[in-house]
Amino acid sequence: MIERSNSEMLYRELGSTGEQVSAIGLGGWHLSLKHVDEDLATRIVRTAIDRGITFMDNCWDYNDGASEVRMGKALRDGYRDKAFLMTKIDGRSKAEAAKQIDESLKRLQVDHVDLLQYHEVLRFEDPHRIFDEEGAHAAVLEAQKAGKLRYIGFTGHKDPYIHLHMLEVANQQGFKFDTVQMPLNVMDAHYRSFAKLVVPELVKQNIGILGMKSMANGILLRSNTVTPIECLHYALNLPTSVVITGMDSMEYLEQAFEAVRTFQPMTDDQVQALLTKTTEAGARGEFEPFKTSSIFDGTAQHPAWLGEEPQRLQQLMSAAG
């Protein structure tokens, strides 16, 4: 992995895309939390970009679209040209995916995103729904051809075996993803570990690795075993292209730059020391509730976001009746 440094940021290769992106990505969900007003959201995004963060994370469903709207406003005045912009869609049907792509572009006030990802691949049926002939992938490929997006990836936070299944189904369709996003944190190593199961496969295929939930919205810190900087250093030390972290204050933005400034590749002993500290807390997934509950699953609470199942499968059900 090639890394170069400007005054404050590391840059890494994004898999086999040829793109260089900032090692820290700005998480979009946090931009529309209750205590973040529009002015602060704009200041966070623009300060991040001014200081070298290029990777912008967002999603069609974050805060009912408000996160995309805010990021779109912040990316005016020439800031869009300095950013690598990513958003995600929930649609599994072709019609729903196409609709969500266009809605995201409208909110973001852009004619294209650099990366579009299938969001919340949480269920073993998701890959089949996406790659069905009437599925989301047909719409995404059309949108890519039309210049609405450049690269394609997927995200999920539930189970590494579902990620591996998604890669397998894509491979059967002759498709290779540009990126994959997953939880990568000090607790993950101990329970249903994406780092142990998925990361080696992505390295082998040279797919861009996007880490999220390095602190799980602060939940990991409640274990009283690790500091925020240790959490970010651990994720940066994995073969990640980008570690996406939520920033809902200027202080958290500063913390991310501090993590980069103080980051050195960790020795095996240093990694082991960190994992030893978190073994007990991480053993049952207690501090990773996105793996062990449905609280983080937006599409479980809003199944309509996924769109309808293909007509021919619905007809199978009616025939069975």
Side-chain angles (χ1 to χ4, degrees):
M1 185 174 284
I2 298 168
E3 297 190 9
R4 61 184 169 81
S5 180
N6 74 351
S7 56
E8 292 193 88
M9 185 47 54
L10 290 168
Y11 297 91
R12 295 176 169 179
E13 295 279 339
L14 185 64
S16 53
T17 64
E19 302 285 343
Q20 287 229 328
V21 286
S22 55
I24 293 285
L26 189 150
W29 182 68
H30 291 71
L31 294 177
S32 291
L33 298 181
K34 287 190 178 72
H35 59 278
V36 181
D37 61 25
E38 195 172 289
D39 286 346
L40 177 57
T42 297
R43 192 149 55 97
I44 290 168
V45 171
R46 292 189 173 185
T47 304
I49 292 172
D50 286 341
R51 293 176 63 181
I53 291 176
T54 59
F55 194 97
M56 301 286 128
D57 157 272
N58 223 304
C59 182
W60 173 85
D61 71 37
Y62 283 170
N63 302 297
D64 298 319
S67 286
E68 286 185 327
V69 170
R70 286 193 172 179
M71 186 164 276
K73 289 178 178 177
L75 289 176
R76 290 176 184 166
D77 306 324
Y79 279 89
R80 168 68 184 101
D81 297 336
K82 303 173 189 175
F84 186 94
L85 180 59
M86 176 268 277
T87 199
K88 318 178 196 84
I89 57 165
D90 298 307
R92 300 295 184 252
S93 69
K94 184 179 179 183
E96 193 61 34
K99 175 172 143 306
Q100 290 175 12
I101 290 167
D102 287 341
E103 286 173 355
S104 284
L105 293 176
K106 192 174 176 184
R107 288 178 195 148
L108 290 163
Q109 300 178 48
V110 297
D111 60 4
H112 76 283
V113 291
D114 296 294
L115 170 62
L116 186 88
Q117 299 197 105
Y118 300 111
H119 188 222
E120 288 196 1
V121 175
L122 308 177
R123 313 156 191 85
F124 276 102
E125 68 267 26
D126 281 338
H128 294 286
R129 291 187 71 179
I130 287 166
F131 282 99
D132 188 273
E133 61 194 30
E134 296 176 45
H137 197 60
V140 169
L141 289 179
E142 283 180 14
Q144 187 182 42
K145 200 172 178 183
K148 296 178 182 180
L149 58 106
R150 297 169 67 208
Y151 302 112
I152 302 168
F154 75 91
T155 86
H157 54 247
K158 191 64 68 184
D159 189 311
Y161 286 104
I162 294 171
H163 271 53
L164 293 174
H165 184 50
M166 181 68 157
L167 292 168
E168 183 185 8
V169 172
N171 185 53
Q172 288 165 358
Q173 299 291 321
F175 182 77
K176 181 190 165 188
F177 284 104
D178 297 302
T179 59
V180 176
Q181 184 169 330
M182 72 213 91
L184 292 172
N185 61 62
V186 290
M187 300 293 178
D188 167 75
H190 307 297
Y191 184 82
R192 282 189 355 211
S193 177
F194 287 88
K196 287 179 181 173
L197 292 166
V198 182
V199 166
E201 186 59 33
L202 299 178
V203 169
K204 192 165 82 178
Q205 294 191 38
N206 197 16
I207 293 173
I209 299 170
L210 308 179
M212 63 174 167
K213 300 191 180 352
S214 57
M215 291 173 251
N217 205 25
I219 296 168
L220 259 67
L221 304 177
R222 293 181 205 167
S223 67
N224 297 317
T225 58
V226 281
T227 67
I229 298 292
E230 284 177 325
C231 289
L232 289 167
H233 281 178
Y234 173 82
L236 286 167
N237 192 64
L238 290 166
T240 42
S241 295
V242 184
V243 174
I244 297 161
T245 185
M247 302 175 195
D248 47 6
S249 70
M250 296 303 287
E251 289 74 20
Y252 286 142
L253 177 62
E254 199 57 55
Q255 178 177 275
F257 279 103
E258 176 67 9
V260 169
R261 189 182 68 78
T262 55
F263 176 70
Q264 294 290 333
M266 296 165 70
T267 65
D268 289 346
D269 286 348
Q270 286 172 322
V271 172
Q272 202 47 55
L274 206 49
L275 294 181
T276 299
K277 284 202 294 186
T278 55
T279 300
E280 196 176 334
R284 295 184 309 281
E286 185 184 348
F287 293 96
E288 292 187 284
F290 41 86
K291 291 180 180 176
T292 58
S293 76
S294 61
I295 290 170
F296 283 70
D297 305 351
T299 51
Q301 294 157 44
H302 303 275
W305 291 351
L306 299 169
E308 290 195 354
E309 294 279 7
Q311 283 298 316
R312 69 177 194 287
L313 295 183
Q314 294 187 44
Q315 285 161 7
L316 285 178
M317 287 300 291
S318 59

